[in-house]
Amino acid sequence: MIKDTTVSKAILKRGFAELLKTIDSDVVIAGAGPSGLSASYYLARDGVNVVIFERALKVGGGMPGGGIGFPVIVIQEDGLEIINEFGISYEEFEKGYYTANSIECTAKLVAGAIDNHVRIINLTTVEDIMVKEGKTNGVVINRTAIELAKLHVDPISVRARFTIDATGHATELAKTLLKRKGIRLTTPSGGIEGEGPMWAERGEKDILLNTKEIFPNLYVTGMAANAVFGSPRMGPIFGGMLLSGKKVAELIKERL
Ligand code: 48F
């Protein structure tokens, strides 16, 4: 016999416990796209307590959609190290260009993260950043449904030693922080430089240089890194996103 109310209790008990465990984390990542997932894996694999808050229902950000809706992405030579780490299959298209199934990539990145105890909380938006004594020390979250409905419902805060903006083109954490009085980022202008037009070669080169701390204890990775520092976008080539995630994990691990 299956009791409907036992199903309800199971959902509530585990759902609440999962969220409660995130309230004090080593690292909070906003965004479960390829860069956020890669960062979470390389942190959690070394025992760091990581949570990803993802605004959307689905995880993977721009990855599962591939290029113009074909479930295919391109990876260049440098990115194969990470593709192999996650056991993702790929084919050579021509020398230096490899294709992979974007859904397989997303599924294996997510599985790799979860197997290493990353908590991924979807339908949850990071809507603000906490700053204490000149350093970020956590984020403010709310349910995406509440945000979408524009309801006047207060959010809750989550403490974290380090925060990563992996929100992609939108650079939402950097933007939200800049709304506060007296804040300057480590960019040349002190603000967001803005994303450059499509230029894959340059974008892929710049992304690792742009992956860094932009305010004390706040790091940027993936497309958000290029958008914050004024580098180009690059379309459906993903090696740089994955390598950027790995790099930000390494930078934070040095400080933990
Ligand atoms: O956009 P997204 O995939 O960012 P990424 O990891 O990868 C970029 C590529 O997908 C692609 C590209 C490849 O060359 O250029 O665009 O840099 O994933 C960003 C994720 O962040 C979520 C959003 O729903 C998406 O899944 N997100 C955005 N804002 C917030 C957020 C927020 N405020 N709170 C939580 N999640």
Side-chain angles (χ1 to χ4, degrees), residues 30-36 53-56 58 60-63 124-127 166-169 172-173 204 221-224 234-238 241:
S35 64
F53 293 112
E54 167 53 56
R55 168 184 276 142
K58 75 160 177 64
M63 184 174 250
T124 303
T125 296
V126 176
E127 62 154 64
T167 61
H169 301 272
E172 291 209 8
L173 268 52
E204 290 283 310
T221 184
M223 203 52 232
M234 60 282 247
I237 179 160
F238 278 78
M241 297 301 144

PDB file of all heavy atoms in Angstrom, residues 30-36 53-56 58 60-63 124-127 166-169 172-173 204 221-224 234-238 241, ligand 1:
ATOM      1  N   ALA A  30      26.707  30.623  -8.159  1.00  0.00           N
ATOM      2  CA  ALA A  30      25.437  31.004  -8.788  1.00  0.00           C
ATOM      3  C   ALA A  30      25.504  30.563 -10.242  1.00  0.00           C
ATOM      4  O   ALA A  30      26.336  31.065 -10.999  1.00  0.00           O
ATOM      5  CB  ALA A  30      25.226  32.503  -8.698  1.00  0.00           C
ATOM      6  N   GLY A  31      24.647  29.603 -10.606  1.00  0.00           N
ATOM      7  CA  GLY A  31      24.573  29.165 -12.003  1.00  0.00           C
ATOM      8  C   GLY A  31      25.140  27.775 -12.226  1.00  0.00           C
ATOM      9  O   GLY A  31      26.312  27.527 -11.957  1.00  0.00           O
ATOM     10  N   ALA A  32      24.271  26.878 -12.721  1.00  0.00           N
ATOM     11  CA  ALA A  32      24.692  25.490 -13.016  1.00  0.00           C
ATOM     12  C   ALA A  32      24.899  25.294 -14.508  1.00  0.00           C
ATOM     13  O   ALA A  32      24.468  24.305 -15.091  1.00  0.00           O
ATOM     14  CB  ALA A  32      23.660  24.496 -12.476  1.00  0.00           C
ATOM     15  N   GLY A  33      25.568  26.263 -15.148  1.00  0.00           N
ATOM     16  CA  GLY A  33      26.004  26.073 -16.530  1.00  0.00           C
ATOM     17  C   GLY A  33      27.307  25.297 -16.538  1.00  0.00           C
ATOM     18  O   GLY A  33      27.770  24.838 -15.488  1.00  0.00           O
ATOM     19  N   PRO A  34      27.939  25.156 -17.706  1.00  0.00           N
ATOM     20  CA  PRO A  34      29.169  24.359 -17.778  1.00  0.00           C
ATOM     21  C   PRO A  34      30.291  24.868 -16.878  1.00  0.00           C
ATOM     22  O   PRO A  34      30.992  24.055 -16.256  1.00  0.00           O
ATOM     23  CB  PRO A  34      29.569  24.443 -19.248  1.00  0.00           C
ATOM     24  CG  PRO A  34      28.746  25.539 -19.848  1.00  0.00           C
ATOM     25  CD  PRO A  34      27.508  25.623 -19.026  1.00  0.00           C
ATOM     26  N   SER A  35      30.454  26.183 -16.771  1.00  0.00           N
ATOM     27  CA  SER A  35      31.566  26.680 -15.942  1.00  0.00           C
ATOM     28  C   SER A  35      31.277  26.444 -14.463  1.00  0.00           C
ATOM     29  O   SER A  35      32.164  26.022 -13.711  1.00  0.00           O
ATOM     30  CB  SER A  35      31.843  28.154 -16.227  1.00  0.00           C
ATOM     31  OG  SER A  35      30.734  28.943 -15.866  1.00  0.00           O
ATOM     32  N   GLY A  36      30.049  26.682 -14.033  1.00  0.00           N
ATOM     33  CA  GLY A  36      29.693  26.455 -12.630  1.00  0.00           C
ATOM     34  C   GLY A  36      29.788  24.984 -12.257  1.00  0.00           C
ATOM     35  O   GLY A  36      30.283  24.629 -11.180  1.00  0.00           O
ATOM     36  N   PHE A  53      23.382  27.250  -6.670  1.00  0.00           N
ATOM     37  CA  PHE A  53      21.989  27.675  -6.797  1.00  0.00           C
ATOM     38  C   PHE A  53      21.737  27.982  -8.265  1.00  0.00           C
ATOM     39  O   PHE A  53      22.489  28.755  -8.882  1.00  0.00           O
ATOM     40  CB  PHE A  53      21.707  28.915  -5.937  1.00  0.00           C
ATOM     41  CG  PHE A  53      21.795  28.629  -4.471  1.00  0.00           C
ATOM     42  CD1 PHE A  53      22.813  29.170  -3.689  1.00  0.00           C
ATOM     43  CD2 PHE A  53      20.864  27.796  -3.859  1.00  0.00           C
ATOM     44  CE1 PHE A  53      22.904  28.894  -2.334  1.00  0.00           C
ATOM     45  CE2 PHE A  53      20.942  27.510  -2.497  1.00  0.00           C
ATOM     46  CZ  PHE A  53      21.964  28.063  -1.736  1.00  0.00           C
ATOM     47  N   GLU A  54      20.716  27.356  -8.798  1.00  0.00           N
ATOM     48  CA  GLU A  54      20.395  27.520 -10.217  1.00  0.00           C
ATOM     49  C   GLU A  54      18.988  28.087 -10.344  1.00  0.00           C
ATOM     50  O   GLU A  54      18.032  27.510  -9.824  1.00  0.00           O
ATOM     51  CB  GLU A  54      20.502  26.170 -10.942  1.00  0.00           C
ATOM     52  CG  GLU A  54      19.910  26.125 -12.338  1.00  0.00           C
ATOM     53  CD  GLU A  54      20.422  27.225 -13.286  1.00  0.00           C
ATOM     54  OE1 GLU A  54      21.634  27.332 -13.473  1.00  0.00           O
ATOM     55  OE2 GLU A  54      19.578  27.986 -13.822  1.00  0.00           O
ATOM     56  N   ARG A  55      18.891  29.200 -11.056  1.00  0.00           N
ATOM     57  CA  ARG A  55      17.589  29.857 -11.201  1.00  0.00           C
ATOM     58  C   ARG A  55      16.572  28.985 -11.948  1.00  0.00           C
ATOM     59  O   ARG A  55      15.395  28.948 -11.598  1.00  0.00           O
ATOM     60  CB  ARG A  55      17.768  31.158 -11.960  1.00  0.00           C
ATOM     61  CG  ARG A  55      16.454  31.740 -12.394  1.00  0.00           C
ATOM     62  CD  ARG A  55      16.626  32.976 -13.238  1.00  0.00           C
ATOM     63  NE  ARG A  55      16.799  34.138 -12.413  1.00  0.00           N
ATOM     64  CZ  ARG A  55      17.608  35.151 -12.679  1.00  0.00           C
ATOM     65  NH1 ARG A  55      18.335  35.136 -13.772  1.00  0.00           N
ATOM     66  NH2 ARG A  55      17.678  36.168 -11.862  1.00  0.00           N
ATOM     67  N   ALA A  56      17.040  28.293 -12.955  1.00  0.00           N
ATOM     68  CA  ALA A  56      16.115  27.584 -13.859  1.00  0.00           C
ATOM     69  C   ALA A  56      15.673  26.233 -13.290  1.00  0.00           C
ATOM     70  O   ALA A  56      16.206  25.744 -12.298  1.00  0.00           O
ATOM     71  CB  ALA A  56      16.791  27.376 -15.210  1.00  0.00           C
ATOM     72  N   LYS A  58      15.863  23.520 -15.289  1.00  0.00           N
ATOM     73  CA  LYS A  58      16.875  22.589 -15.813  1.00  0.00           C
ATOM     74  C   LYS A  58      18.275  23.055 -15.442  1.00  0.00           C
ATOM     75  O   LYS A  58      18.492  24.241 -15.189  1.00  0.00           O
ATOM     76  CB  LYS A  58      16.748  22.462 -17.324  1.00  0.00           C
ATOM     77  CG  LYS A  58      17.284  23.660 -18.086  1.00  0.00           C
ATOM     78  CD  LYS A  58      17.590  23.308 -19.530  1.00  0.00           C
ATOM     79  CE  LYS A  58      18.066  24.495 -20.342  1.00  0.00           C
ATOM     80  NZ  LYS A  58      19.315  25.110 -19.950  1.00  0.00           N
ATOM     81  N   GLY A  60      22.530  22.996 -16.566  1.00  0.00           N
ATOM     82  CA  GLY A  60      23.346  22.932 -17.797  1.00  0.00           C
ATOM     83  C   GLY A  60      23.471  24.264 -18.502  1.00  0.00           C
ATOM     84  O   GLY A  60      24.283  24.403 -19.418  1.00  0.00           O
ATOM     85  N   GLY A  61      22.674  25.246 -18.144  1.00  0.00           N
ATOM     86  CA  GLY A  61      22.745  26.569 -18.785  1.00  0.00           C
ATOM     87  C   GLY A  61      22.639  26.443 -20.289  1.00  0.00           C
ATOM     88  O   GLY A  61      21.733  25.791 -20.820  1.00  0.00           O
ATOM     89  N   GLY A  62      23.598  27.042 -20.996  1.00  0.00           N
ATOM     90  CA  GLY A  62      23.580  27.051 -22.464  1.00  0.00           C
ATOM     91  C   GLY A  62      24.147  25.791 -23.089  1.00  0.00           C
ATOM     92  O   GLY A  62      24.239  25.717 -24.314  1.00  0.00           O
ATOM     93  N   MET A  63      24.516  24.812 -22.271  1.00  0.00           N
ATOM     94  CA  MET A  63      25.177  23.645 -22.872  1.00  0.00           C
ATOM     95  C   MET A  63      24.227  22.671 -23.579  1.00  0.00           C
ATOM     96  O   MET A  63      24.481  22.310 -24.736  1.00  0.00           O
ATOM     97  CB  MET A  63      26.004  22.927 -21.813  1.00  0.00           C
ATOM     98  CG  MET A  63      26.793  21.770 -22.385  1.00  0.00           C
ATOM     99  SD  MET A  63      27.877  21.044 -21.170  1.00  0.00           S
ATOM    100  CE  MET A  63      29.466  21.546 -21.802  1.00  0.00           C
ATOM    101  N   THR A 124      16.052  28.239  -7.791  1.00  0.00           N
ATOM    102  CA  THR A 124      16.455  29.150  -6.717  1.00  0.00           C
ATOM    103  C   THR A 124      17.403  30.205  -7.293  1.00  0.00           C
ATOM    104  O   THR A 124      18.396  29.853  -7.918  1.00  0.00           O
ATOM    105  CB  THR A 124      17.151  28.352  -5.584  1.00  0.00           C
ATOM    106  OG1 THR A 124      16.236  27.345  -5.149  1.00  0.00           O
ATOM    107  CG2 THR A 124      17.536  29.230  -4.422  1.00  0.00           C
ATOM    108  N   THR A 125      17.060  31.452  -7.084  1.00  0.00           N
ATOM    109  CA  THR A 125      17.818  32.561  -7.672  1.00  0.00           C
ATOM    110  C   THR A 125      18.680  33.247  -6.620  1.00  0.00           C
ATOM    111  O   THR A 125      18.201  33.510  -5.515  1.00  0.00           O
ATOM    112  CB  THR A 125      16.817  33.587  -8.264  1.00  0.00           C
ATOM    113  OG1 THR A 125      16.113  32.951  -9.323  1.00  0.00           O
ATOM    114  CG2 THR A 125      17.512  34.828  -8.788  1.00  0.00           C
ATOM    115  N   VAL A 126      19.935  33.496  -6.984  1.00  0.00           N
ATOM    116  CA  VAL A 126      20.766  34.346  -6.127  1.00  0.00           C
ATOM    117  C   VAL A 126      20.400  35.782  -6.487  1.00  0.00           C
ATOM    118  O   VAL A 126      20.638  36.223  -7.607  1.00  0.00           O
ATOM    119  CB  VAL A 126      22.271  34.090  -6.364  1.00  0.00           C
ATOM    120  CG1 VAL A 126      23.101  35.050  -5.523  1.00  0.00           C
ATOM    121  CG2 VAL A 126      22.622  32.635  -6.040  1.00  0.00           C
ATOM    122  N   GLU A 127      19.798  36.479  -5.543  1.00  0.00           N
ATOM    123  CA  GLU A 127      19.316  37.820  -5.893  1.00  0.00           C
ATOM    124  C   GLU A 127      20.162  38.940  -5.308  1.00  0.00           C
ATOM    125  O   GLU A 127      19.995  40.099  -5.656  1.00  0.00           O
ATOM    126  CB  GLU A 127      17.837  38.000  -5.501  1.00  0.00           C
ATOM    127  CG  GLU A 127      17.575  37.876  -4.008  1.00  0.00           C
ATOM    128  CD  GLU A 127      16.328  38.639  -3.583  1.00  0.00           C
ATOM    129  OE1 GLU A 127      15.251  38.254  -4.041  1.00  0.00           O
ATOM    130  OE2 GLU A 127      16.464  39.597  -2.782  1.00  0.00           O
ATOM    131  N   ALA A 166      28.832  32.470 -11.778  1.00  0.00           N
ATOM    132  CA  ALA A 166      28.868  31.618 -12.978  1.00  0.00           C
ATOM    133  C   ALA A 166      27.550  31.791 -13.723  1.00  0.00           C
ATOM    134  O   ALA A 166      26.989  30.837 -14.257  1.00  0.00           O
ATOM    135  CB  ALA A 166      29.098  30.153 -12.579  1.00  0.00           C
ATOM    136  N   THR A 167      27.061  33.039 -13.735  1.00  0.00           N
ATOM    137  CA  THR A 167      25.727  33.291 -14.290  1.00  0.00           C
ATOM    138  C   THR A 167      25.733  33.570 -15.797  1.00  0.00           C
ATOM    139  O   THR A 167      24.726  33.980 -16.359  1.00  0.00           O
ATOM    140  CB  THR A 167      25.024  34.464 -13.559  1.00  0.00           C
ATOM    141  OG1 THR A 167      25.812  35.654 -13.740  1.00  0.00           O
ATOM    142  CG2 THR A 167      24.859  34.201 -12.068  1.00  0.00           C
ATOM    143  N   GLY A 168      26.886  33.359 -16.449  1.00  0.00           N
ATOM    144  CA  GLY A 168      26.922  33.487 -17.914  1.00  0.00           C
ATOM    145  C   GLY A 168      26.879  34.934 -18.372  1.00  0.00           C
ATOM    146  O   GLY A 168      27.304  35.854 -17.648  1.00  0.00           O
ATOM    147  N   HIS A 169      26.327  35.134 -19.569  1.00  0.00           N
ATOM    148  CA  HIS A 169      26.321  36.463 -20.204  1.00  0.00           C
ATOM    149  C   HIS A 169      25.767  37.554 -19.263  1.00  0.00           C
ATOM    150  O   HIS A 169      26.172  38.701 -19.344  1.00  0.00           O
ATOM    151  CB  HIS A 169      25.474  36.431 -21.491  1.00  0.00           C
ATOM    152  CG  HIS A 169      25.976  35.444 -22.498  1.00  0.00           C
ATOM    153  ND1 HIS A 169      26.935  35.746 -23.441  1.00  0.00           N
ATOM    154  CD2 HIS A 169      25.669  34.137 -22.719  1.00  0.00           C
ATOM    155  CE1 HIS A 169      27.186  34.691 -24.194  1.00  0.00           C
ATOM    156  NE2 HIS A 169      26.427  33.691 -23.771  1.00  0.00           N
ATOM    157  N   GLU A 172      25.190  38.294 -13.329  1.00  0.00           N
ATOM    158  CA  GLU A 172      24.204  38.836 -12.374  1.00  0.00           C
ATOM    159  C   GLU A 172      24.774  39.207 -11.016  1.00  0.00           C
ATOM    160  O   GLU A 172      24.319  40.163 -10.404  1.00  0.00           O
ATOM    161  CB  GLU A 172      23.055  37.838 -12.211  1.00  0.00           C
ATOM    162  CG  GLU A 172      22.238  37.764 -13.453  1.00  0.00           C
ATOM    163  CD  GLU A 172      20.792  37.406 -13.193  1.00  0.00           C
ATOM    164  OE1 GLU A 172      20.361  37.360 -12.031  1.00  0.00           O
ATOM    165  OE2 GLU A 172      20.105  37.172 -14.203  1.00  0.00           O
ATOM    166  N   LEU A 173      25.758  38.447 -10.548  1.00  0.00           N
ATOM    167  CA  LEU A 173      26.280  38.760  -9.214  1.00  0.00           C
ATOM    168  C   LEU A 173      27.099  40.040  -9.261  1.00  0.00           C
ATOM    169  O   LEU A 173      27.000  40.891  -8.369  1.00  0.00           O
ATOM    170  CB  LEU A 173      27.121  37.594  -8.664  1.00  0.00           C
ATOM    171  CG  LEU A 173      26.328  36.591  -7.820  1.00  0.00           C
ATOM    172  CD1 LEU A 173      25.104  36.091  -8.520  1.00  0.00           C
ATOM    173  CD2 LEU A 173      27.194  35.470  -7.358  1.00  0.00           C
ATOM    174  N   GLU A 204      38.201  32.453 -26.280  1.00  0.00           N
ATOM    175  CA  GLU A 204      38.706  31.247 -25.608  1.00  0.00           C
ATOM    176  C   GLU A 204      40.068  31.507 -24.958  1.00  0.00           C
ATOM    177  O   GLU A 204      40.395  30.924 -23.944  1.00  0.00           O
ATOM    178  CB  GLU A 204      38.799  30.079 -26.595  1.00  0.00           C
ATOM    179  CG  GLU A 204      37.447  29.541 -27.035  1.00  0.00           C
ATOM    180  CD  GLU A 204      36.771  28.660 -25.985  1.00  0.00           C
ATOM    181  OE1 GLU A 204      37.413  27.729 -25.463  1.00  0.00           O
ATOM    182  OE2 GLU A 204      35.595  28.898 -25.674  1.00  0.00           O
ATOM    183  N   THR A 221      33.634  33.241 -13.310  1.00  0.00           N
ATOM    184  CA  THR A 221      34.046  32.158 -14.214  1.00  0.00           C
ATOM    185  C   THR A 221      33.122  32.101 -15.432  1.00  0.00           C
ATOM    186  O   THR A 221      32.013  32.646 -15.406  1.00  0.00           O
ATOM    187  CB  THR A 221      34.042  30.797 -13.457  1.00  0.00           C
ATOM    188  OG1 THR A 221      34.544  29.765 -14.335  1.00  0.00           O
ATOM    189  CG2 THR A 221      32.646  30.385 -13.032  1.00  0.00           C
ATOM    190  N   GLY A 222      33.605  31.421 -16.476  1.00  0.00           N
ATOM    191  CA  GLY A 222      32.770  31.197 -17.666  1.00  0.00           C
ATOM    192  C   GLY A 222      32.510  32.481 -18.422  1.00  0.00           C
ATOM    193  O   GLY A 222      33.294  33.432 -18.387  1.00  0.00           O
ATOM    194  N   MET A 223      31.365  32.515 -19.093  1.00  0.00           N
ATOM    195  CA  MET A 223      31.037  33.674 -19.923  1.00  0.00           C
ATOM    196  C   MET A 223      30.960  34.945 -19.079  1.00  0.00           C
ATOM    197  O   MET A 223      31.252  36.045 -19.570  1.00  0.00           O
ATOM    198  CB  MET A 223      29.718  33.412 -20.653  1.00  0.00           C
ATOM    199  CG  MET A 223      29.553  34.221 -21.898  1.00  0.00           C
ATOM    200  SD  MET A 223      30.938  34.096 -23.048  1.00  0.00           S
ATOM    201  CE  MET A 223      31.288  35.821 -23.305  1.00  0.00           C
ATOM    202  N   ALA A 224      30.596  34.816 -17.821  1.00  0.00           N
ATOM    203  CA  ALA A 224      30.548  35.992 -16.941  1.00  0.00           C
ATOM    204  C   ALA A 224      31.934  36.626 -16.833  1.00  0.00           C
ATOM    205  O   ALA A 224      32.051  37.858 -16.758  1.00  0.00           O
ATOM    206  CB  ALA A 224      30.020  35.606 -15.557  1.00  0.00           C
ATOM    207  N   MET A 234      31.786  33.575 -27.638  1.00  0.00           N
ATOM    208  CA  MET A 234      32.397  32.608 -28.555  1.00  0.00           C
ATOM    209  C   MET A 234      31.491  31.539 -29.135  1.00  0.00           C
ATOM    210  O   MET A 234      31.972  30.655 -29.846  1.00  0.00           O
ATOM    211  CB  MET A 234      33.652  31.987 -27.953  1.00  0.00           C
ATOM    212  CG  MET A 234      33.472  31.246 -26.676  1.00  0.00           C
ATOM    213  SD  MET A 234      33.353  32.400 -25.346  1.00  0.00           S
ATOM    214  CE  MET A 234      34.799  32.126 -24.415  1.00  0.00           C
ATOM    215  N   GLY A 235      30.196  31.565 -28.889  1.00  0.00           N
ATOM    216  CA  GLY A 235      29.322  30.573 -29.522  1.00  0.00           C
ATOM    217  C   GLY A 235      29.530  29.163 -28.982  1.00  0.00           C
ATOM    218  O   GLY A 235      30.084  28.993 -27.899  1.00  0.00           O
ATOM    219  N   PRO A 236      29.101  28.142 -29.748  1.00  0.00           N
ATOM    220  CA  PRO A 236      28.999  26.790 -29.175  1.00  0.00           C
ATOM    221  C   PRO A 236      30.316  26.002 -29.085  1.00  0.00           C
ATOM    222  O   PRO A 236      30.366  24.817 -29.395  1.00  0.00           O
ATOM    223  CB  PRO A 236      27.994  26.094 -30.090  1.00  0.00           C
ATOM    224  CG  PRO A 236      28.103  26.810 -31.379  1.00  0.00           C
ATOM    225  CD  PRO A 236      28.549  28.213 -31.103  1.00  0.00           C
ATOM    226  N   ILE A 237      31.374  26.689 -28.640  1.00  0.00           N
ATOM    227  CA  ILE A 237      32.639  25.997 -28.351  1.00  0.00           C
ATOM    228  C   ILE A 237      32.836  26.106 -26.846  1.00  0.00           C
ATOM    229  O   ILE A 237      32.689  27.187 -26.274  1.00  0.00           O
ATOM    230  CB  ILE A 237      33.802  26.580 -29.185  1.00  0.00           C
ATOM    231  CG1 ILE A 237      35.108  25.874 -28.848  1.00  0.00           C
ATOM    232  CG2 ILE A 237      33.957  28.085 -29.042  1.00  0.00           C
ATOM    233  CD1 ILE A 237      36.178  26.038 -29.929  1.00  0.00           C
ATOM    234  N   PHE A 238      33.102  24.984 -26.183  1.00  0.00           N
ATOM    235  CA  PHE A 238      32.945  24.944 -24.718  1.00  0.00           C
ATOM    236  C   PHE A 238      34.201  24.618 -23.914  1.00  0.00           C
ATOM    237  O   PHE A 238      34.138  24.559 -22.687  1.00  0.00           O
ATOM    238  CB  PHE A 238      31.842  23.936 -24.342  1.00  0.00           C
ATOM    239  CG  PHE A 238      30.460  24.542 -24.461  1.00  0.00           C
ATOM    240  CD1 PHE A 238      29.868  24.693 -25.703  1.00  0.00           C
ATOM    241  CD2 PHE A 238      29.775  24.975 -23.346  1.00  0.00           C
ATOM    242  CE1 PHE A 238      28.606  25.271 -25.823  1.00  0.00           C
ATOM    243  CE2 PHE A 238      28.512  25.551 -23.450  1.00  0.00           C
ATOM    244  CZ  PHE A 238      27.928  25.706 -24.684  1.00  0.00           C
ATOM    245  N   MET A 241      34.964  27.231 -21.255  1.00  0.00           N
ATOM    246  CA  MET A 241      34.032  27.265 -20.112  1.00  0.00           C
ATOM    247  C   MET A 241      34.468  26.240 -19.056  1.00  0.00           C
ATOM    248  O   MET A 241      34.506  26.523 -17.855  1.00  0.00           O
ATOM    249  CB  MET A 241      32.600  26.907 -20.546  1.00  0.00           C
ATOM    250  CG  MET A 241      31.973  27.855 -21.514  1.00  0.00           C
ATOM    251  SD  MET A 241      31.893  29.519 -20.854  1.00  0.00           S
ATOM    252  CE  MET A 241      32.188  30.430 -22.342  1.00  0.00           C
TER     253      MET A 241
HETATM  254  O1  48F B   1      24.826  30.683 -19.477  1.00  0.00           O
HETATM  255  P1  48F B   1      25.539  29.549 -18.864  1.00  0.00           P
HETATM  256  O2  48F B   1      25.630  28.281 -19.613  1.00  0.00           O
HETATM  257  O3  48F B   1      26.977  30.117 -18.412  1.00  0.00           O
HETATM  258  P2  48F B   1      28.461  29.548 -18.583  1.00  0.00           P
HETATM  259  O4  48F B   1      28.720  28.430 -17.667  1.00  0.00           O
HETATM  260  O5  48F B   1      28.495  28.979 -20.079  1.00  0.00           O
HETATM  261  C1  48F B   1      28.255  29.793 -21.192  1.00  0.00           C
HETATM  262  C2  48F B   1      27.822  28.909 -22.339  1.00  0.00           C
HETATM  263  O6  48F B   1      26.642  28.210 -22.014  1.00  0.00           O
HETATM  264  C3  48F B   1      27.565  29.653 -23.631  1.00  0.00           C
HETATM  265  C4  48F B   1      28.807  30.077 -24.310  1.00  0.00           C
HETATM  266  C5  48F B   1      29.754  29.017 -24.791  1.00  0.00           C
HETATM  267  O7  48F B   1      30.773  29.573 -25.557  1.00  0.00           O
HETATM  268  O8  48F B   1      29.016  31.239 -24.490  1.00  0.00           O
HETATM  269  O9  48F B   1      26.708  30.757 -23.397  1.00  0.00           O
HETATM  270  O10 48F B   1      29.327  30.744 -18.522  1.00  0.00           O
HETATM  271  O11 48F B   1      24.867  29.208 -17.452  1.00  0.00           O
HETATM  272  C6  48F B   1      24.542  30.213 -16.537  1.00  0.00           C
HETATM  273  C7  48F B   1      23.499  29.660 -15.594  1.00  0.00           C
HETATM  274  O12 48F B   1      23.299  30.586 -14.543  1.00  0.00           O
HETATM  275  C8  48F B   1      21.899  30.629 -14.229  1.00  0.00           C
HETATM  276  C9  48F B   1      21.216  30.475 -15.571  1.00  0.00           C
HETATM  277  O13 48F B   1      19.885  30.023 -15.408  1.00  0.00           O
HETATM  278  C10 48F B   1      22.122  29.454 -16.256  1.00  0.00           C
HETATM  279  O14 48F B   1      21.703  28.130 -16.023  1.00  0.00           O
HETATM  280  N1  48F B   1      21.672  31.908 -13.552  1.00  0.00           N
HETATM  281  C11 48F B   1      21.698  33.157 -14.110  1.00  0.00           C
HETATM  282  N2  48F B   1      21.480  34.076 -13.164  1.00  0.00           N
HETATM  283  C12 48F B   1      21.317  33.415 -11.986  1.00  0.00           C
HETATM  284  C13 48F B   1      21.426  32.032 -12.233  1.00  0.00           C
HETATM  285  C14 48F B   1      21.056  33.829 -10.637  1.00  0.00           C
HETATM  286  N3  48F B   1      20.936  35.118 -10.302  1.00  0.00           N
HETATM  287  N4  48F B   1      20.923  32.871  -9.693  1.00  0.00           N
HETATM  288  C15 48F B   1      21.037  31.559 -10.011  1.00  0.00           C
HETATM  289  N5  48F B   1      21.286  31.117 -11.274  1.00  0.00           N
END
